[in-house]
Amino acid sequence: MTMPRRHLLAAMGSALAAFAAPSAVQAATAFPSKPITLIVPNAPGGAVDLLARLLEKPLQQALGQPILVVYKPGAGTVMGTDFVAKSAPDGHTLGMVVTSHVINPGLRPQMPFDTTRDLTGVSLLATSPIAISARADLPVANLKQLIDYARQQPGKLSYASPGAGSSMHLAAELLKLTAGIDMLHTPYKGNGGAYQDVFGGRVDLIFDPLFSSLPHIRSGRMKAIAVIGPRRSPIAPDLAAANETLADFSVESLFGLVAPAATPAPVVDRISSEIARILATPEMKRRMAEAGLTPVGSTSREFNDLIRKEMLRWSQVIKQAGVKLD
């Protein structure tokens, strides 16, 4: 008797699944079989590099293979992440990503890879709060006063960011859209020159990581306006969170780990679970807090869901604000 076509197709599918399943299990069992390359898509220095170095030794101990940190900066982290996307999907090449990972798809029309098709999230490693700070003599003391002041003088206030299309720039543009205010963007290459211009009164505000701004706030060279996170920061608990004034207004810098999309799920899950365990240790929590980072350690699925959600949010902000790269 001839088997009906639908039954034949179902049987073939089951056979293929049965054939494929052992290969995934074998891949997980064999992993890792050689040193693991960890791509940092930025130049040495900065929070993402520090986080990679913090993870290097404990992850090496957990997986039993050397972790090789390799720097591939360029094109707003695109070059390094593209290298990861095109690497063998076996878990031996991983990539650090930051907030630009979810911003770039809406900002750069000619991406060499598809963020959600060619890569998979492994873990959201950490978050870091962004601060709004002002020149010391600006006549405002909190976010409500800043919004009122900006409404009274539309287009007169200026704000610095470490570059067009950066997470700091887009956080400011989201504030403008949410609060209905107009401010002038002054982009810098990095934040060194930006701080000097705020100190000198040539720029009114700066959007930058709280950890970077805090020494200047404490010295009195700038005044703190708000932290743009979902809650107050433990390193500056007296500084109000922006959503205490603007409901649901929250932006944090994101730090994560990705792998090529076809990496077997058991391999991704093993790396994710080891990282979650490492990030939960008291020593790692202490060292990350010293760098202004809050450890997370999510599952792959949780991080992928966040990536999609944040990509949608920032693409809408980019479109509404008319943000373009210089």
Side-chain angles (χ1 to χ4, degrees):
M1 182 182 295
T2 303
M3 182 181 293
R5 178 178 176 81
R6 66 178 183 276
H7 292 164
L8 177 61
L9 291 174
M12 290 174 63
S14 298
L16 287 171
F19 176 78
S23 65
V25 173
Q26 290 166 2
T29 303
F31 174 82
S33 60
K34 59 184 178 179
I36 296 166
T37 299
L38 179 57
I39 301 297
V40 175
N42 304 81
V48 66
D49 181 25
L50 173 63
L51 183 53
R53 291 299 179 182
L54 286 176
L55 288 171
E56 181 181 5
K57 185 176 179 179
L59 193 56
Q60 177 173 308
Q61 292 173 339
L63 297 178
Q65 286 286 351
I67 306 296
L68 309 177
V69 177
V70 177
Y71 302 95
K72 290 188 176 293
T77 74
V78 169
M79 287 181 61
T81 309
D82 183 48
F83 181 88
V84 177
K86 292 178 171 58
S87 296
D90 56 10
H92 291 94
T93 302
L94 305 171
M96 301 289 291
V97 292
V98 290
T99 314
S100 57
H101 185 63
V102 292
I103 290 174
N104 280 330
L107 191 64
R108 299 172 182 269
Q110 302 297 326
M111 292 277 287
F113 60 89
D114 186 290
T115 302
T116 56
R117 185 188 64 217
D118 298 334
L119 293 155
T120 184
V122 176
S123 176
L124 173 62
L125 302 173
T127 60
S128 179
I130 297 170
I132 308 173
S133 305
R135 56 182 170 85
D137 60 347
L138 191 70
V140 301
N142 54 51
L143 185 57
K144 183 181 184 306
Q145 291 179 11
L146 175 65
I147 292 170
D148 290 342
Y149 189 79
R151 286 172 177 167
Q152 293 165 9
Q153 303 185 64
K156 296 293 181 64
L157 279 177
S158 59
Y159 73 90
S161 83
S166 66
S167 58
M168 314 303 163
H169 174 205
L170 292 186
E173 292 300 318
L174 181 57
L175 174 62
K176 288 167 57 177
L177 291 169
T178 305
I181 59 177
D182 186 21
M183 300 186 296
L184 177 65
H185 180 215
T186 306
Y188 290 78
K189 291 184 178 180
N191 57 20
Y195 278 116
Q196 292 301 319
D197 282 353
V198 175
F199 301 158
R202 291 177 289 278
V203 179
D204 298 307
L205 304 163
I206 184 169
F207 286 68
D208 212 38
L210 174 61
F211 187 75
S212 301
S213 299
L214 205 52
H216 306 304
I217 293 167
R218 288 173 173 163
S219 72
R221 303 185 79 181
M222 299 191 310
K223 66 170 67 175
I225 301 299
V227 61
I228 323 175
R231 64 193 68 84
R232 297 190 181 204
S233 170
I235 64 172
D238 294 336
L239 181 56
N243 61 11
E244 295 175 31
T245 299
L246 291 175
D248 300 324
F249 179 72
S250 175
V251 180
E252 289 184 293
S253 294
L254 306 178
F255 300 83
L257 192 70
V258 298
T263 304
V267 172
V268 172
D269 291 343
R270 182 182 173 193
I271 299 169
S272 177
S273 63
E274 293 289 2
I275 285 174
R277 181 187 58 78
I278 291 167
L279 293 176
T281 61
E283 175 65 10
M284 185 60 73
K285 287 181 177 180
R286 181 188 65 79
R287 297 185 70 182
M288 289 180 68
E290 290 173 352
L293 300 171
T294 300
V296 180
S298 73
T299 66
S300 172
R301 180 175 181 176
E302 288 168 342
F303 191 29
N304 279 324
D305 288 346
L306 179 64
I307 287 170
R308 293 185 179 90
K309 179 181 176 181
E310 289 292 285
M311 282 175 57
L312 178 60
R313 173 163 78 148
W314 291 122
S315 66
Q316 292 172 340
V317 172
I318 289 165
K319 183 176 181 179
Q320 292 174 26
V323 174
K324 298 184 183 300
L325 290 174
D326 290 341

